[in-house]
Amino acid sequence: MGLLLALLLAAAPEANLSLLRPASGSDGLLGVEGGRPPQSPDDPLELQLGFDAGYKPVRLGPAGRIESRLGGWAQLAARLSEGLSIFAQLPVTLRQAGDVSALGIPQPAFGFTVGDVRVGARHGFLRGPLDLSAQLSLELATGAAGSLTDEPRIAVEALVSASRRRGPWELIGNALVDFRAPSDVGPVKLGTSLGLRGGAAYWFSPRARAYGEIDVSSSFRALAQESIPAEWRAGGTVCATPVLAVDLAGGTRLDNGLGAPSLRGVVAVRYSPQLCRPPKVETQEPGLAELMARIAE
């Protein structure tokens, strides 16, 4: 019995099956990174608190499934200099329900757990009709074993983002490579992957928008439907005050990939003065000569 338990523990997978990675700044959408890191030194901090509910994010048979997952995240982003910002995300799992005994996890972490902390930096390289930025992030192996939101060692993500805004429409696209340790979740082989994210937003006003986005990831180890999670999400952002914005979004999976739930709902609150506060209009007071000219008229 002890030998069997040891074998099960040795085979227990460590893999972060959460497909959604919240965007690190308010210039992005929910899970799509923007192309314009903040430039203004005014209000250099952004905070975000989000809650994510997923239905059937893992589907590998009766004894290899997660029926529901309720989680969330806290995030802090800070501007360091023009075009350069850093961020940190703390993901948590509040509750999971299901049966994953067939995956070699005899005592799954289905209660409250902390996930893999994510930290990174982003820099803008081009501003104009087309905005470009690059981002490098690390996911630290801080998650609880058996939670399926943990990696055995540090994961590294390199991402390039492009955005273009024309009138009320904004288009954003991301291409990324996610360097991760190899991991087998049942028959599915996961590891380093290529990801594509894209979205479109329609701005009803400078402080309200609706958006849709698509998120796809594919592992290089083995091309199979379960190792290529894909989902779509739609939602909106509304500034409730000059400094607070609220996001509501929902979506479904596009295939049977692990980490893309059959149904997802998200609510997030942002502290983002640069998003919600009207931009300052600089006015130049007339000089003495101009005042005298006006008086003489």
Side-chain angles (χ1 to χ4, degrees):
M1 186 68 179
L3 177 61
L4 177 59
L5 179 59
L7 290 174
L8 286 174
L9 289 174
E14 287 189 83
N16 191 341
L17 299 185
S18 179
L19 179 62
L20 175 62
R21 298 292 187 276
S24 58
S26 59
D27 58 309
L29 305 178
L30 177 64
V32 179
E33 297 286 352
R36 296 185 302 276
Q39 282 189 317
S40 173
D42 299 328
D43 303 310
L45 295 180
E46 287 188 342
L47 301 173
Q48 189 179 146
L49 183 66
F51 296 93
D52 171 26
Y55 174 63
K56 291 189 175 180
V58 177
R59 304 165 300 277
L60 285 174
R65 70 186 189 278
I66 293 180
E67 294 289 349
S68 62
R69 178 180 181 272
L70 178 62
W73 70 91
Q75 175 178 282
L76 169 66
R79 175 191 180 275
L80 294 184
S81 62
E82 184 174 351
L84 177 63
S85 62
I86 58 175
F87 65 91
Q89 292 177 358
L90 175 65
V92 297
T93 296
L94 302 176
R95 181 182 180 275
Q96 289 191 105
D99 182 358
V100 290
S101 57
L103 304 181
I105 308 177
Q107 293 181 337
F110 275 175
F112 175 84
T113 60
V114 173
D116 290 346
V117 174
R118 185 171 180 237
V119 296
R122 53 198 302 252
H123 192 279
F125 292 99
L126 181 66
R127 293 234 179 190
L130 182 68
D131 301 303
L132 292 176
S133 67
Q135 177 174 300
L136 186 67
S137 61
L138 306 177
E139 288 190 17
L140 311 180
T142 56
S147 64
L148 295 180
T149 58
D150 64 299
E151 291 286 339
R153 59 175 184 259
I154 293 177
V156 181
E157 180 188 272
L159 179 147
V160 176
S161 178
S163 65
R164 177 179 174 82
R165 186 163 179 178
R166 187 170 184 178
W169 288 98
E170 183 177 17
L171 302 178
I172 307 177
N174 300 165
L176 61 102
V177 180
D178 201 358
F179 300 95
R180 295 182 176 273
S183 179
D184 295 343
V185 181
V188 184
K189 298 183 180 299
L190 302 176
T192 296
S193 62
L194 173 69
L196 296 174
R197 302 169 187 157
Y202 183 87
W203 292 83
F204 299 100
S205 73
R207 302 297 175 259
R209 67 183 178 182
Y211 57 81
E213 58 185 30
I214 294 178
D215 195 341
V216 182
S217 179
S218 174
S219 174
F220 288 128
R221 288 187 65 205
L223 294 179
Q225 190 179 63
E226 290 84 0
S227 63
I228 309 177
E231 69 173 282
W232 68 270
R233 299 181 286 264
T237 308
V238 176
C239 288
T241 74
V243 297
L244 290 179
V246 178
D247 270 73
L248 289 174
T252 65
R253 60 186 174 94
L254 294 173
D255 63 4
N256 205 36
L258 300 184
S262 297
L263 182 64
R264 187 192 297 275
V266 181
V267 58
V269 178
R270 307 172 187 253
Y271 170 81
S272 181
Q274 297 204 29
L275 174 66
C276 293
R277 188 172 292 161
K280 294 181 179 179
V281 179
E282 296 184 0
T283 59
Q284 190 172 17
E285 294 185 2
L288 180 60
E290 187 177 348
L291 285 174
M292 296 297 294
R294 291 183 181 179
I295 294 173
E297 290 179 354

